[in-house]
Amino acid sequence: MVRFGTKAETLSRLMPRLREAAVLPLVYFTVGEWKRESAAVRRKIRGCSWSDAPLVVRSSSLSEDGEGASSAGRYTSCLDVHTDQELTRAIDTVIASFGEPDGQDQVLVQPHLPDAIASGVCSSCEPSTGAPYRLVNWSEGADTTLVTAGQPGVRSWYFMPDEGSHSPVWYLVGLPRLAAELEYLLGEAPFEFEFAVRQDASLVLFQARPLAAPTMELSKSRHRAAVHQSQRKFRALLRDQPPAIGADMCLGVMPDWNPAEMIGLRPRPLALSLYRRLITDDTWAESRHRYGYRDVRGVPLLVDLSGLPYIDIRASFSSLMPQNMEEEAAHRLMRHYLERLRDRPHLHDKIEFDVVQSSYDFTLPRVAESWVAEGVLSGHQAMEFVDALHFLTARMMATDGPYRRDLRTAQQLALRPLEPGPGVSPQEHFRSLLSLCRREGALPFAGIARAAFTATRLVRSLVERGVMSAQEADALLGSADTVSNQLRRDFATGDREAFLRRYGHLRPGTYDILSPRYDESDGQYFDWSSPASAGPEEPVEFHMDAGRVRAVGQLLAEHGMPASAGDFLDFVRGSVAGREYAKLQYSRVVSEILTLARTIGERLGFTPADLSYVPVDALAACTGDRNRDHSRLAAAVARGRDAHEVTMSLHGPALLCGPEELVSFTGLDVEPNFVAHARVVAPVADVDAGDPLDGAIAMIPAADPGYDWIFTHNIAGLVTAFGGANSHMAIRALELGLPAVIGAGDIRFRQWLAADSLEIDTSNRLVRPAVPVRSRRSARPQEGAV
């Protein structure tokens, strides 16, 4: 077995034994040798047959390839070195990048590789979990620092060894064999290597080093069995499942009721099962049916692949078809939607803005005309589709429509006490809260959210029609007096007790029993020493001049919408604010369910961590018989913990279109959502790690409203890993005029989190490290393999 040394020593040891890649000829020497006899070192280099070619001078520090940390990309490399003077300067520059070098630190000199078409880094296992996936990060060109420094333009490929992985591009076809050979030579302890690809697809090894990855406790055989089980489940879905349309299938983590934002990519069993019971099993479909969409009740929206939650995109698209659409037209439109998504996978988090037409807007007739021209629908079918969406959208806006009824239900829920009645056991109350939450919380919230999306789409179409500017549209949407505005104002008053009475139930992880409520740990979330600095904040005022009002009114009349310009503005503001209000009331009941679950469990000797592994149905089955309940919950905890251990080892693509992608997939080139029109340069603050927030760019994994407390601090900007253009945090940032990047994707998010500071320019859709050096701060790994 080849033993690791410094960069240069490891390459020297691998050079005579490697078959699947070449190692360029090299000379290396210590800092001490260079300081004592630099002329002799230069003569040694110039004595090599390859020294007339351009040279590369690289670091080979003792601290660079240690077992604890690789320091990849930390030290300087000098490329395209020709003359002796340039060589001397390059060596001095590399040594200077060591800081205070040890005399035994080394410098490595090799010929420049002239014909590289791509380069990157491959790890022998998934670095954040130790799971048995190779992870390749690569970019075009020969400069691997684009990857090690986390620069834009880097792509990712995950694949499992020995599973027939398919290379995403022709020139990486040899990488699996090289990774297997290096594992044979270096051993099974985690490692990573830097490589380049020549024009003939042959590989060149630049470096191999140990990787400080965690050890995965799960056996590889159990991991492989779970992957194969998930593949079988996917294949079983590839058939007609009426009332969903067609036999084609795609799954995603971000479309529709996106689990990536709401429960994370690897939720524990309680959070996953609670979300399914309250939302994705049937509430989602019932709500849409009530609003005039296709009846897909009986088809679950969420597919559980060994604990990885995916949205069934076929079910989602089917549920967004108007109710009375003829079957042939629905099937034709479904094929068009799926083809568009597959051709443009980066739109997976913008489904209803850029893929599906789910409500009427002022551009829809033109879109329908283009479909007829492309052969997507016949002229008659397109006309019927437009009319059907027009009908349900007008009904949604009506004063006696489903949106107004749902809003009244949410208002009634706000007045309902959640304490149990006399003589009601905790177990009975738990079941009644689940029923109440679904019926009077989740169902109206889902409907009002649908109305708010429709309003947003209508406003955006005013921009496309030239009636409003993008800035005016942002101002209109931001003028709604939402719960988030009210929370900030209420915090600024400094009345801690009143504030916690109203908002104390909120928690960053709405469905997570391990996420503390505001009223359980308010000091963790709020700085009560100077609450007035957070506000007070009044709603943004929005006024349209008389000419703009007439233009909106004329457009409404032209499209046969039964509303005046004033009615339209009221609908927009009311539905956007109503969605946040309905979610506040819904989350109040969800939070009470989790609090009661903890009470029931703790009386039986279980911790909240134990209970996080228990499916909600097991808790709902408790009867009050202590021995029986304890036995059943203990078994559920054991099963849940065991299942979640498997889940934590799994990785999958953000958009899953075939079972083969569970063993080999590339990360999507995510297009984040940029909010507000502003530029900021500020330090990075990892919110979950407790970094100071004032004056910083807050980094949070998901756009969950439970993070609203960050707005009581004077943050300079916001970045989320997950979340769509119409998510809570996008709207919140819009209200505040706060520069924000919503839904950056896991890969970019982790890269940006590792920086000391960022520059965000939302107008130019730009994010980059503000200081062009690699930070030494360690970013905590986030869930996901997007």
Side-chain angles (χ1 to χ4, degrees):
M1 192 171 78
V2 173
R3 183 170 51 86
F4 282 109
T6 64
K7 181 190 301 182
E9 291 165 350
T10 302
L11 287 175
S12 295
R13 294 165 187 169
L14 286 170
M15 184 185 293
R17 304 186 62 178
L18 205 58
R19 297 292 176 265
E20 297 295 338
V23 175
L24 298 176
L26 57 88
V27 169
Y28 66 94
F29 49 90
T30 68
V31 171
E33 289 171 335
W34 175 253
K35 289 183 176 179
R36 289 192 303 272
E37 42 192 19
S38 60
V41 170
R42 277 194 301 270
R43 283 196 300 273
K44 181 180 179 180
I45 296 170
R46 289 308 184 189
C48 296
S49 60
W50 42 267
S51 66
D52 289 338
L55 302 178
V56 176
V57 182
R58 304 167 64 199
S59 61
S60 185
S61 166
L62 297 174
S63 64
E64 200 166 353
D65 289 340
E67 297 288 343
S70 72
S71 297
R74 176 176 171 183
Y75 302 121
T76 299
S77 294
C78 295
L79 311 179
D80 201 26
V81 175
H82 293 267
T83 66
D84 281 358
Q85 184 179 12
E86 289 176 351
L87 178 61
T88 299
R89 187 162 55 245
I91 293 171
D92 287 338
T93 298
V94 170
I95 291 174
S97 72
F98 294 158
E100 297 182 6
D102 186 297
Q104 296 304 307
D105 281 335
Q106 298 167 353
V107 177
L108 168 64
V109 180
Q110 292 178 289
H112 172 70
L113 184 65
D115 58 345
I117 59 173
S119 59
V121 178
C122 176
S123 57
S124 65
C125 65
E126 203 288 320
S128 63
T129 62
Y133 299 87
R134 313 286 198 211
L135 173 56
V136 183
N137 291 315
W138 88 97
S139 62
E140 294 183 357
D143 187 2
T144 60
T145 59
L146 290 177
V147 175
T148 56
Q151 296 298 311
V154 175
R155 300 177 63 190
S156 298
W157 173 28
Y158 291 75
F159 66 90
M160 290 176 59
D162 306 319
E163 285 286 343
S165 55
H166 300 286
S167 173
V169 288
W170 64 271
Y171 51 78
L172 296 183
V173 68
L175 263 182
R177 294 192 302 273
L178 175 57
E181 182 182 28
L182 285 171
E183 189 170 65
Y184 173 78
L185 293 172
L186 297 170
E188 293 193 357
F191 66 89
E192 63 182 1
F193 60 93
E194 295 185 20
F195 66 90
V197 190
R198 296 180 188 265
Q199 291 178 354
D200 62 358
S202 63
L203 297 168
V204 175
L205 182 69
F206 284 157
Q207 183 173 359
R209 54 184 174 253
L211 177 65
T215 302
M216 189 182 76
E217 301 297 332
L218 190 75
S219 69
K220 290 184 179 180
S221 61
R222 281 195 66 200
H223 172 270
R224 195 175 300 273
V227 171
H228 291 167
Q229 180 184 23
S230 297
Q231 289 180 308
R232 289 192 295 272
K233 188 168 186 176
F234 188 99
R235 291 188 186 100
L237 295 170
L238 294 172
R239 55 183 175 82
D240 283 311
Q241 292 183 309
I245 299 169
D248 209 353
M249 171 61 67
C250 269
L251 304 177
V253 299
M254 285 295 292
D256 215 329
W257 285 90
N258 49 25
E261 179 181 345
M262 301 312 302
I263 55 175
L265 295 179
R266 294 179 188 82
R268 294 192 180 195
L270 177 56
L272 174 59
S273 61
L274 185 60
Y275 192 57
R276 292 183 65 172
R277 178 159 179 157
L278 294 178
I279 299 289
T280 65
D281 279 352
D282 33 43
T283 302
W284 73 285
E286 182 178 344
S287 173
R288 289 184 187 169
H289 173 61
R290 292 167 64 234
Y291 273 63
Y293 292 94
R294 184 184 180 93
D295 186 358
V296 295
R297 288 175 295 180
V299 180
L301 181 63
L302 189 145
V303 175
D304 173 359
L305 297 182
S306 300
L308 297 182
Y310 277 94
I311 293 301
D312 181 342
I313 293 175
R314 174 178 56 186
S316 171
F317 286 4
S318 298
S319 76
L320 295 171
M321 301 281 185
Q323 204 166 84
N324 299 321
M325 192 173 182
E326 65 176 59
E327 282 299 295
E328 188 206 352
H331 279 77
R332 292 175 69 172
L333 200 51
M334 173 66 81
R335 286 193 294 272
H336 171 71
Y337 288 159
L338 287 173
E339 287 172 7
R340 180 170 173 79
L341 179 59
R342 288 195 175 109
D343 289 344
R344 301 167 178 81
H346 62 275
L347 299 177
H348 73 115
D349 62 339
K350 304 174 181 66
I351 291 294
E352 289 192 70
F353 282 109
D354 296 311
V355 178
V356 173
Q357 287 282 340
S358 60
S359 60
Y360 190 88
D361 66 55
F362 302 118
T363 67
L364 181 57
R366 295 179 182 176
V367 171
E369 287 176 7
S370 71
W371 287 347
V372 174
E374 295 166 13
V376 176
L377 295 176
S378 69
H380 172 72
Q381 289 169 337
M383 186 181 302
E384 285 198 336
F385 177 75
V386 170
D387 288 345
L389 281 186
H390 184 281
F391 174 79
L392 69 83
T393 301
R395 180 170 172 262
M396 201 182 301
M397 296 172 65
T399 55
D400 59 348
Y403 153 61
R404 306 286 182 181
R405 291 196 296 271
D406 280 340
L407 188 56
R408 287 193 292 272
T409 302
Q411 291 165 342
Q412 290 164 5
L413 180 62
L415 303 175
R416 184 185 286 272
L418 300 182
E419 296 78 15
V424 177
S425 71
Q427 294 79 14
E428 292 172 322
H429 189 47
F430 185 82
R431 289 187 287 271
S432 70
L433 283 179
L434 283 172
S435 177
L436 173 70
C437 191
R438 184 195 168 277
R439 187 180 65 255
E440 298 185 28
L443 195 58
F445 166 56
I448 298 168
R450 173 63 27 202
F453 174 81
T454 298
T456 302
R457 180 135 195 172
L458 283 164
V459 171
R460 298 301 182 199
S461 70
L462 288 174
V463 176
E464 295 179 53
R465 292 295 305 269
V467 176
M468 279 186 181
S469 68
Q471 290 83 353
E472 287 171 329
D474 288 350
L476 170 55
L477 293 168
S479 65
D481 190 14
T482 64
V483 166
S484 299
N485 279 337
Q486 296 159 19
L487 180 149
R488 190 174 169 95
R489 289 201 301 271
D490 290 346
F491 176 77
T493 67
D495 190 335
R496 187 171 185 168
E497 185 176 335
F499 179 87
L500 293 177
R501 273 200 307 272
R502 185 173 186 192
Y503 307 105
H505 68 270
L506 292 173
R507 56 179 98 213
T510 300
Y511 303 89
D512 186 0
I513 197 171
L514 299 179
S515 181
R517 292 165 47 126
Y518 284 3
D519 57 11
E520 292 171 344
S521 187
D522 64 303
Q524 174 183 340
Y525 300 121
F526 305 104
D527 180 6
W528 291 101
S529 63
S530 56
S533 64
E537 180 183 332
E538 298 298 328
V540 177
E541 290 191 12
F542 176 79
H543 298 290
M544 286 197 300
D545 59 40
R548 197 64 49 85
V549 170
R550 282 194 300 274
V552 172
Q554 288 169 0
L555 199 57
L556 288 164
E558 175 188 326
H559 286 259
M561 301 301 290
S564 66
D567 294 335
F568 172 73
L569 295 179
D570 289 343
F571 172 68
V572 170
R573 293 191 184 101
S575 61
V576 170
R579 174 180 54 190
E580 304 305 308
Y581 176 81
K583 185 158 191 178
L584 180 73
Q585 306 313 323
Y586 163 67
S587 63
R588 182 172 72 102
V589 189
V590 176
S591 197
E592 191 64 25
I593 289 169
L594 292 175
T595 299
L596 188 54
R598 188 173 64 186
T599 299
I600 293 170
E602 286 177 345
R603 289 180 180 178
L604 295 170
F606 297 102
T607 66
D610 293 331
L611 296 171
S612 69
Y613 296 109
V614 178
V616 69
D617 286 349
L619 283 163
C622 287
T623 63
D625 183 319
R626 182 176 180 83
N627 291 334
R628 181 178 297 179
D629 288 348
H630 184 276
S631 176
R632 288 179 174 174
L633 286 187
V637 169
R639 286 193 302 271
R641 183 178 281 116
D642 186 63
H644 191 62
E645 185 181 16
V646 174
T647 302
M648 290 300 292
S649 74
L650 299 175
H651 292 262
L655 188 66
L656 176 62
C657 295
E660 70 283 353
E661 293 179 354
L662 287 167
V663 297
S664 178
F665 64 91
T666 53
L668 288 180
D669 186 12
V670 178
E671 291 190 8
N673 302 283
F674 289 82
V675 178
H677 297 272
R679 178 184 175 275
V680 65
V681 177
V684 166
D686 184 346
V687 173
D688 285 348
D691 288 352
L693 294 181
D694 285 349
I697 294 170
M699 307 283 291
I700 59 177
D704 190 288
Y707 283 100
D708 255 357
W709 62 271
I710 67 175
F711 298 115
T712 65
H713 296 266
N714 183 30
I715 63 174
L718 172 66
V719 177
T720 77
F722 303 108
N726 203 41
S727 66
H728 175 88
M729 285 299 180
I731 291 170
R732 189 71 183 106
L734 196 62
E735 295 167 352
L736 298 172
L738 184 74
V741 185
I742 306 297
D746 181 66
I747 293 170
R748 281 200 182 106
F749 183 82
R750 283 190 283 178
Q751 291 170 348
W752 296 342
L753 191 61
D756 287 321
S757 57
L758 289 177
E759 175 190 1
I760 298 177
D761 184 346
T762 57
S763 297
N764 288 326
R765 303 178 65 83
L766 170 71
V767 182
R768 60 189 174 199
V771 181
V773 296
R774 178 177 169 82
S775 170
R776 300 187 188 183
R777 63 178 285 165
S778 59
R780 300 188 311 142
Q782 303 294 320
E783 290 188 308
V786 178

